[in-house]
Amino acid sequence: MSSKTIKTFNPRTGNFLAQEHVISTPKELNQKVTDAQLAFMVYRNTSGNERAILLETIADEIEAVKEEILGIATLETGLPSGRIQGETGRTLGQLRLFAEVAQKEFWVEASIDTALPDRQPLPKSDIRKCLVPLGPIAVFGASNFPLAFSTAGGDTASALASGNPVIVKAHNSHLGTHQCICDAIVRALERCNLPKGIFSSIIDEDYELGAALVQHPGIKAVGFTGSFNGGTTLLDLVSKRKEPIPFYGEMGSINPIVLLSSALEDPKMVSTLMGSINMGVGQFCTNPGLILAIEGEAAQHFCSKMTDAIQQTLGEVMLNRAIYDKYEASIAKISSEKSYTLLGQGTKAQGALSVQPSLALTSGKKFLTHPKMSQEIFGPYSLIVLCEHQEELAEILMQIEGQLTLSFMGEETEFDEHVHLIALAQEKVGRIIFNSVPTGVEVGHSMIHGGPFPATTAPNSTSVGADAIKRFVRPVCFQDAPQSLLPMALQDENPLKIFRKINGKWSLDKI
Amino acid sequence: MSSKTIKTFNPRTGNFLAQEHVISTPKELNQKVTDAQLAFMVYRNTSGNERAILLETIADEIEAVKEEILGIATLETGLPSGRIQGETGRTLGQLRLFAEVAQKEFWVEASIDTALPDRQPLPKSDIRKCLVPLGPIAVFGASNFPLAFSTAGGDTASALASGNPVIVKAHNSHLGTHQCICDAIVRALERCNLPKGIFSSIIDEDYELGAALVQHPGIKAVGFTGSFNGGTTLLDLVSKRKEPIPFYGEMGSINPIVLLSSALEDPKMVSTLMGSINMGVGQFCTNPGLILAIEGEAAQHFCSKMTDAIQQTLGEVMLNRAIYDKYEASIAKISSEKSYTLLGQGTKAQGALSVQPSLALTSGKKFLTHPKMSQEIFGPYSLIVLCEHQEELAEILMQIEGQLTLSFMGEETEFDEHVHLIALAQEKVGRIIFNSVPTGVEVGHSMIHGGPFPATTAPNSTSVGADAIKRFVRPVCFQDAPQSLLPMALQDENPLKIFRKINGKWSLDKI
């Protein structure tokens, strides 16, 4: 064990917390991967029911220490109690959703093609297919979700649900929170009598150990939520591996909102947008960073109401020094550049890393000629772009890079008139929203939290919702296998009572 | 248009064929990608039924010229008529399977979570998800499958079925065959009144244009079947793109066969294995290149029968000069190396590129210490490895790299005694086979033709069977969308009459 330790930072007081966290060594990392590989031999053979019990037990163990988590998480992140409580609830909800998914076993996508021994010119074999887990998964904790996208967050829950061991690289912004969650998971593994190698974590002072983790031959996939720079740096390392593995990086987005005519005059629109821009100090990957409308009197009026509103907001502390510095530098640059108009700023609250919410304005023409304007500014900031006409707005949607979400605000008749815009949007995003803001990602069976690059590195996946499990599995088929050697999902009797594709048709039948 | 042309080679006569094929230019490549992007705007909105009609029409147009294809393909590849006829049938079967998949629409994986407007503390939105096509797909023709894995092969069929335009990089071994198929596809697109940009192809003298194709920003995924060197070279180029895209490379494998005790004495085993080793002059990615057994009297007897059998086989011509040279060099190296025993060789048939089928022997100990022995030798060759004991055999299965298939030959009681070996096998392969040889890949709903690296670059996919369609799609979800703006798969009335997940449960119901 290394003797080097680090501490976490309180963004309100500007002081480091007392608790010391021991930096992991490369040797420990190797040992943890080896332990995960050995644990996989056991864990891959557990039933969905056993995995469901593990996930439920993890949720229970976390719930049992939620007051302790609340205490440390608010100190480390500067996020208010309500937000941490909400995020704890969401984390428990995710663990329990994946418990349900694991227990019901339908994620295995069982498919059976029955034999035709008398087929001419050649007999047809019995072929049965299902999904199996990949092996040890590396999960990177996210700065902005100390719970829901960190140690026991969505990536961990979905990887465990499908039978994969997990090694978490903790985020240095909230190591105390991480420790509480680790302890809860270890207790859950003990209670479930499962190998402790199923879950482990590393703490890194800098980036070396995280880099070593994604390059380790024992790691079979990576789940990452964070910045574009962090994501693409890791992706680069992954692509240099001898064995290619999937890298699921969710790297944020500016989540455009298109305001159609009626929306500009909707009396609730300004407060709805303000709520979304400022939620969690704007530190969400679904923060609405771009508001598009057609210029005119209504748009001018809307802008002045938005300006009033932003000036009345109170900025809060950001998560850590790096995020704070980057936000401050970005806003300083915007106020100094002629191509933007800084419409207004809120006031700073008490606290070391407190920032001012900010709203800027530009024209469609300028937006189209300044690619930097479409880059995410992480924090309570949004850019209103007023377009000369519909064609310019369409051009922006055509030119814009991949996004997590795109929202349309308006009446149904207006949507029908703008079908071409909605079709364009579908090319660019993972989620198209009508008359809602992008913040508040529902964790359910149909949610897609993903999208084309650079929103993610894997547009064919989601990191929220039941389908997140598909990231950590691969298909295997069995040809003419004896019943006793088949996974339960593929046995004649359908002991799991799941829907299976039988000769191409969904069915609950036995064979 | 370039004035440079190339000709294909007749591996029997050793002469070039008369027909000249015009090399594409980089400018033409760019134009084809642009045309594909424009065609995508139309094609992505076609119904499953329209795509099914296109695929059926392509099949019909190919079938109408099958005699012409037979003539040119046998000349260009040296493969016998029966093989080309069989492969034509398989190609038509694939196109028609994907027509069925497109028409039935269940590949869209529709999922609907209904709204809960009264939920506390926040209302729940209506969220609906389905899969949509990615955009223009690059497909690389394979040397060893002039039809089934080339111009209108599985990759093209599955990409078209899900609404993606295709640009094929033709394989230089069979450009005349390629031209026949291209013409058939163009006629089908005309008959279906669809934009011709949906399908196009390029011919390259060397590797530059193929490299430019996979790096083109308009290309959204790549399907490749070929050598490890070709596949990893393209993967390297893909990983240097600004926008990462999926690269589905199927790069072959040595397809180990484990002979349990009873199998060594099975009177049909020798002829079964010989048939598989020599099928198509061993030029299959599923060729059994490794035969594992425990040494002893039965194994010795089996080896001598295998030696007799290989000596009685007649070698045929290989597909092209490069493949022939590589095979000859590999076998020469084996006969000169002390670690192998060259058990026997067949005789060469008439023909310029004719080779001798070859069988070698080594010990488990030597196999474990010579990693080169587990590399594929493309052609009619297999290596018998006699292990000292079960533990050594298990060690080989543990050490071996990812494979497309792994077969176990024996009686059911023996399988039960070797459950640990079968569990090990599951970690390494896409398909586990009981009492059959790996050649002969059934095209169906449950087939997995894939496996961990280096068998493929994407172990979570298959390049054969209905699930191949999943390679070229991504999910999109719609939040609170009006009915008229939803894809048909997600509309309340379920107009496509498909199984959908409704609040997590499979159902044919309306909403």
Side-chain angles (χ1 to χ4, degrees):
Chain A
M1 201 158 99
S2 124
S3 54
K4 245 182 160 176
T5 58
I6 46 171
K7 294 175 173 182
T8 50
F9 183 80
N10 182 327
R12 292 192 185 276
T13 63
N15 299 322
F16 285 92
L17 276 77
Q19 195 184 356
E20 304 208 7
H21 304 277
V22 180
I23 302 292
S24 312
T25 63
K27 201 178 153 195
E28 282 168 328
L29 167 63
N30 286 335
Q31 189 58 51
K32 281 166 199 231
V33 178
T34 304
D35 290 348
Q37 287 175 301
L38 290 172
F40 182 51
M41 294 298 120
V42 175
Y43 193 49
R44 66 184 308 290
N45 294 320
T46 52
S47 68
N49 215 28
E50 288 171 280
R51 291 176 208 160
I53 291 169
L54 172 63
L55 289 162
E56 293 275 5
T57 311
I58 293 172
D60 294 346
E61 288 290 344
I62 291 173
E63 202 163 18
V65 293
K66 66 181 178 185
E67 291 306 319
E68 191 190 335
I69 290 168
L70 181 65
I72 183 79
T74 46
L75 290 179
E76 288 181 327
T77 64
L79 293 169
S81 305
R83 158 67 196 278
I84 296 295
Q85 283 163 331
E87 199 183 315
T88 305
R90 175 176 165 169
T91 306
L92 301 177
Q94 280 178 164
L95 287 160
R96 287 166 181 153
L97 172 75
F98 283 107
E100 182 196 333
V101 171
Q103 199 267 326
K104 288 192 179 158
E105 307 253 20
F106 52 59
W107 66 270
V108 301
E109 295 180 3
S111 177
I112 297 174
D113 294 346
T114 50
L116 293 172
D118 301 324
R119 188 181 67 173
Q120 292 302 328
L122 289 168
K124 186 179 171 202
S125 290
D126 178 291
I127 310 269
R128 305 182 184 215
K129 176 216 81 169
C130 67
L131 296 172
V132 298
L134 288 178
I137 308 296
V139 170
F140 283 73
S143 64
N144 61 338
F145 277 97
L147 298 155
F149 279 95
S150 287
T151 316
D155 291 345
T156 298
S158 55
L160 289 177
S162 43
N164 304 282
V166 168
I167 300 177
V168 167
K169 154 72 180 69
H171 197 284
N172 288 2
S173 284
H174 32 69
L175 294 171
T177 310
H178 165 74
Q179 195 54 56
C180 282
I181 302 283
C182 282
D183 293 346
I185 299 175
V186 168
R187 287 194 300 274
L189 284 167
E190 274 168 16
R191 274 178 60 192
C192 295
N193 204 16
L194 284 166
K196 61 182 180 153
I198 290 171
F199 176 87
S200 63
S201 66
I202 56 166
I203 294 175
D204 192 5
E205 193 175 14
D206 221 316
Y207 302 102
E208 287 77 12
L209 223 51
L213 179 63
V214 303
Q215 292 185 293
H216 197 293
I219 294 297
K220 295 303 173 192
V222 183
F224 169 88
T225 302
S227 68
F228 179 78
N229 287 341
T232 50
T233 302
L234 286 175
L235 175 62
D236 250 21
L237 293 172
V238 167
S239 70
K240 286 179 189 133
R241 287 172 59 107
K242 189 187 161 215
E243 177 190 3
I245 57 170
F247 178 78
Y248 300 102
E250 193 269 80
M251 305 183 297
S253 131
I254 57 168
N255 307 292
I257 294 185
V258 177
L259 300 178
L260 300 175
S261 304
S262 69
L264 288 170
E265 293 171 28
D266 179 342
K268 286 186 193 156
M269 188 55 64
V270 169
S271 63
T272 302
L273 292 174
M274 277 299 146
S276 184
I277 293 166
N278 286 304
M279 188 182 280
V281 206
Q283 299 166 120
F284 285 115
C285 37
T286 51
N287 196 57
L290 182 66
I291 297 167
L292 296 161
I294 306 293
E295 68 182 29
E297 208 177 309
Q300 290 302 333
H301 190 60
F302 166 79
C303 285
S304 79
K305 282 196 292 176
M306 287 288 283
T307 306
D308 290 348
I310 199 92
Q311 284 164 348
Q312 284 161 36
T313 57
L314 184 67
E316 267 292 346
V317 293
M318 296 197 80
L319 289 157
N320 62 41
R321 175 71 65 185
I323 287 173
Y324 168 85
D325 286 345
K326 205 162 175 200
Y327 179 78
E328 291 286 78
S330 301
I331 300 302
K333 205 158 180 207
I334 282 170
S335 37
S336 73
E337 273 188 27
K338 274 195 298 186
S339 46
Y340 294 89
T341 307
L342 189 63
L343 283 180
Q345 293 195 279
T347 46
K348 278 193 190 189
Q350 287 277 319
L353 300 190
S354 183
V355 292
Q356 290 174 277
S358 309
L359 190 69
L361 173 74
T362 195
S363 67
K365 197 170 283 167
K366 284 181 191 153
F367 186 83
L368 282 167
T369 49
H370 291 73
K372 278 203 168 174
M373 286 187 177
S374 58
Q375 280 172 15
E376 182 180 10
I377 293 174
F378 193 70
Y381 163 79
S382 196
L383 174 65
I384 301 176
V385 177
L386 295 186
C387 302
E388 216 173 312
H389 39 58
Q390 291 292 346
E391 291 68 32
E392 197 173 80
L393 202 157
E395 210 183 324
I396 288 175
L397 292 189
M398 235 180 298
Q399 196 181 290
I400 216 160
E401 292 185 297
Q403 303 288 333
L404 293 169
T405 73
L406 212 150
S407 305
F408 290 92
M409 303 286 198
E411 287 167 5
E412 203 165 324
T413 50
E414 289 174 296
F415 297 147
D416 288 335
E417 290 160 14
H418 295 83
V419 172
H420 61 294
L421 293 185
I422 294 161
L424 280 176
Q426 197 174 307
E427 294 306 297
K428 303 287 179 169
V429 304
R431 178 163 57 116
I432 302 183
I433 304 164
F434 295 86
N435 288 326
S436 287
V437 288
T439 43
V441 182
E442 186 74 39
V443 181
H445 293 278
S446 306
M447 176 51 69
I448 298 304
H449 187 66
F453 184 86
T456 79
T457 58
N460 56 348
S461 69
T462 177
S463 65
V464 176
D467 279 358
I469 204 170
K470 296 190 183 182
R471 296 175 298 168
F472 304 125
V473 294
R474 67 179 179 88
V476 171
C477 83
F478 299 80
Q479 182 167 332
D480 295 326
Q483 285 293 306
S484 61
L485 295 174
L486 283 169
M488 279 172 83
L490 300 179
Q491 290 171 10
D492 282 354
E493 291 295 309
N494 193 10
L496 300 178
K497 297 185 173 40
I498 50 174
F499 267 100
R500 310 188 287 187
K501 236 185 257 167
I502 298 179
N503 298 316
K505 287 194 182 117
W506 285 109
S507 161
L508 277 168
D509 292 352
K510 300 176 181 184
I511 299 296
Chain B
M1 201 158 100
S2 123
S3 53
K4 245 184 159 173
T5 60
I6 46 171
K7 293 174 173 182
T8 50
F9 183 80
N10 182 325
R12 290 193 186 276
T13 63
N15 298 322
F16 285 93
L17 276 75
Q19 196 184 356
E20 303 209 7
H21 303 277
V22 180
I23 301 291
S24 313
T25 64
K27 202 177 151 194
E28 283 168 328
L29 167 65
N30 286 335
Q31 189 58 50
K32 280 164 201 234
V33 177
T34 304
D35 291 348
Q37 287 175 301
L38 290 172
F40 182 51
M41 295 298 120
V42 176
Y43 193 49
R44 66 184 309 290
N45 293 320
T46 52
S47 68
N49 216 30
E50 289 171 278
R51 291 175 209 161
I53 292 169
L54 173 64
L55 290 163
E56 293 276 5
T57 310
I58 293 172
D60 293 347
E61 289 289 343
I62 292 173
E63 201 163 19
V65 293
K66 67 180 178 187
E67 291 307 318
E68 192 189 333
I69 291 168
L70 181 64
I72 183 79
T74 46
L75 289 179
E76 288 181 329
T77 64
L79 293 169
S81 306
R83 159 66 196 277
I84 296 295
Q85 284 164 331
E87 199 183 315
T88 306
R90 177 177 164 166
T91 306
L92 301 178
Q94 280 179 164
L95 287 161
R96 287 165 181 155
L97 172 75
F98 282 108
E100 182 197 333
V101 171
Q103 200 266 327
K104 288 193 179 158
E105 307 252 22
F106 52 58
W107 66 270
V108 300
E109 295 179 2
S111 176
I112 297 173
D113 294 347
T114 51
L116 293 171
D118 302 325
R119 188 181 66 173
Q120 292 303 327
L122 288 168
K124 186 181 172 201
S125 292
D126 177 292
I127 310 268
R128 304 182 184 215
K129 176 217 80 168
C130 67
L131 297 173
V132 298
L134 287 179
I137 308 297
V139 170
F140 283 72
S143 64
N144 59 339
F145 278 97
L147 299 155
F149 279 97
S150 287
T151 316
D155 291 345
T156 298
S158 55
L160 289 178
S162 44
N164 303 283
V166 169
I167 301 178
V168 167
K169 153 74 179 68
H171 197 285
N172 288 1
S173 285
H174 33 68
L175 294 171
T177 311
H178 166 72
Q179 195 54 56
C180 284
I181 302 283
C182 281
D183 294 346
I185 299 175
V186 168
R187 286 194 300 275
L189 284 168
E190 274 167 17
R191 276 178 59 191
C192 295
N193 205 17
L194 284 166
K196 61 183 182 151
I198 290 171
F199 176 86
S200 62
S201 67
I202 55 167
I203 294 175
D204 192 5
E205 193 174 14
D206 221 317
Y207 302 103
E208 286 77 13
L209 224 51
L213 179 63
V214 302
Q215 291 184 295
H216 197 294
I219 293 297
K220 296 302 174 193
V222 183
F224 169 88
T225 302
S227 69
F228 178 78
N229 287 342
T232 50
T233 302
L234 287 175
L235 175 62
D236 250 20
L237 293 172
V238 167
S239 71
K240 285 178 190 134
R241 287 173 58 109
K242 189 188 161 215
E243 178 190 2
I245 56 170
F247 178 79
Y248 298 102
E250 191 269 81
M251 304 183 297
S253 127
I254 56 168
N255 306 292
I257 294 184
V258 177
L259 301 177
L260 301 175
S261 303
S262 69
L264 288 169
E265 292 172 26
D266 178 343
K268 287 187 192 155
M269 189 54 65
V270 170
S271 63
T272 302
L273 292 173
M274 277 299 147
S276 184
I277 293 167
N278 286 304
M279 188 181 281
V281 204
Q283 299 166 120
F284 285 116
C285 38
T286 51
N287 197 57
L290 182 66
I291 298 167
L292 296 161
I294 306 292
E295 66 183 29
E297 207 177 311
Q300 290 302 333
H301 189 59
F302 166 79
C303 285
S304 79
K305 282 195 291 174
M306 286 288 282
T307 306
D308 291 349
I310 199 91
Q311 283 165 349
Q312 284 161 36
T313 57
L314 184 66
E316 266 292 345
V317 293
M318 295 198 81
L319 288 157
N320 62 40
R321 175 72 64 186
I323 287 174
Y324 169 86
D325 286 346
K326 207 165 172 197
Y327 179 78
E328 291 286 79
S330 301
I331 301 301
K333 206 161 178 203
I334 283 170
S335 37
S336 74
E337 273 189 24
K338 274 194 298 185
S339 46
Y340 294 90
T341 308
L342 189 62
L343 282 180
Q345 292 196 279
T347 46
K348 277 194 190 189
Q350 288 277 319
L353 301 190
S354 183
V355 293
Q356 290 174 276
S358 309
L359 189 70
L361 174 74
T362 194
S363 68
K365 195 172 283 169
K366 284 182 190 152
F367 186 85
L368 281 166
T369 49
H370 290 73
K372 278 203 169 174
M373 286 187 177
S374 58
Q375 281 172 15
E376 183 181 10
I377 293 175
F378 193 69
Y381 163 80
S382 197
L383 174 65
I384 300 176
V385 177
L386 295 186
C387 302
E388 217 172 312
H389 38 58
Q390 290 291 348
E391 291 67 32
E392 196 173 80
L393 202 157
E395 209 183 325
I396 288 175
L397 292 189
M398 234 179 298
Q399 196 181 289
I400 215 159
E401 291 185 298
Q403 302 289 331
L404 293 169
T405 73
L406 213 152
S407 306
F408 290 91
M409 305 285 198
E411 287 167 4
E412 203 165 323
T413 50
E414 288 175 295
F415 297 146
D416 288 334
E417 289 159 13
H418 294 85
V419 172
H420 62 295
L421 292 186
I422 294 161
L424 279 176
Q426 197 174 307
E427 294 305 296
K428 302 289 180 171
V429 304
R431 178 163 57 117
I432 302 182
I433 305 165
F434 294 86
N435 288 326
S436 287
V437 288
T439 44
V441 182
E442 186 75 38
V443 181
H445 293 277
S446 308
M447 176 53 69
I448 299 304
H449 187 66
F453 184 85
T456 79
T457 58
N460 56 349
S461 69
T462 176
S463 65
V464 176
D467 279 358
I469 203 169
K470 295 190 183 182
R471 296 175 300 168
F472 304 124
V473 294
R474 66 179 179 88
V476 171
C477 82
F478 299 80
Q479 182 166 333
D480 294 326
Q483 286 292 308
S484 61
L485 295 174
L486 284 169
M488 281 171 81
L490 300 180
Q491 290 172 8
D492 282 355
E493 292 296 308
N494 194 10
L496 300 178
K497 297 186 171 41
I498 50 175
F499 267 100
R500 309 189 286 188
K501 235 183 256 167
I502 299 179
N503 298 318
K505 286 195 182 117
W506 285 107
S507 161
L508 277 169
D509 291 352
K510 299 175 183 184
I511 300 296

